[in-house]
Amino acid sequence: FDPSGTIVVAACDDSGIKVFSCAKGDDQMEEGEIGILKGHKEAVQCVYFDPQGKYLLSGGADSAFGFWQ
């Protein structure tokens, strides 16, 4: 989850990072997939939001790090 608790990301075996919205609406949750971040060549093993939620870091089985804004 990002620091606001409205975005969640999932590291995936297919080399992508799935991004989901968990924003609360007035009377229900507005949930759904926002998109997929692509850049790794192998499975993504970890994801981390910086404390301000401005950046996302990822690490993969391809020994690469991703820096997402």
Side-chain angles (χ1 to χ4, degrees):
F1 285 94
D2 74 334
S4 72
T6 60
I7 302 291
V8 64
V9 294
C12 300
D13 286 340
D14 66 358
S15 75
I17 301 168
K18 291 189 179 180
V19 183
F20 297 91
S21 171
C22 298
K24 294 181 181 179
D26 290 339
D27 57 347
Q28 63 183 11
M29 292 288 281
E30 296 176 24
E31 299 177 335
E33 187 174 316
I34 295 173
I36 300 174
L37 302 174
K38 295 272 186 184
H40 287 278
K41 296 186 185 336
E42 294 183 33
V44 179
Q45 297 176 317
C46 60
V47 288
Y48 173 77
F49 277 104
D50 77 295
Q52 288 77 34
K54 186 174 180 181
Y55 303 106
L56 176 71
L57 303 174
S58 61
D62 55 0
S63 298
F65 291 94
F67 182 77
W68 310 89
Q69 197 169 352

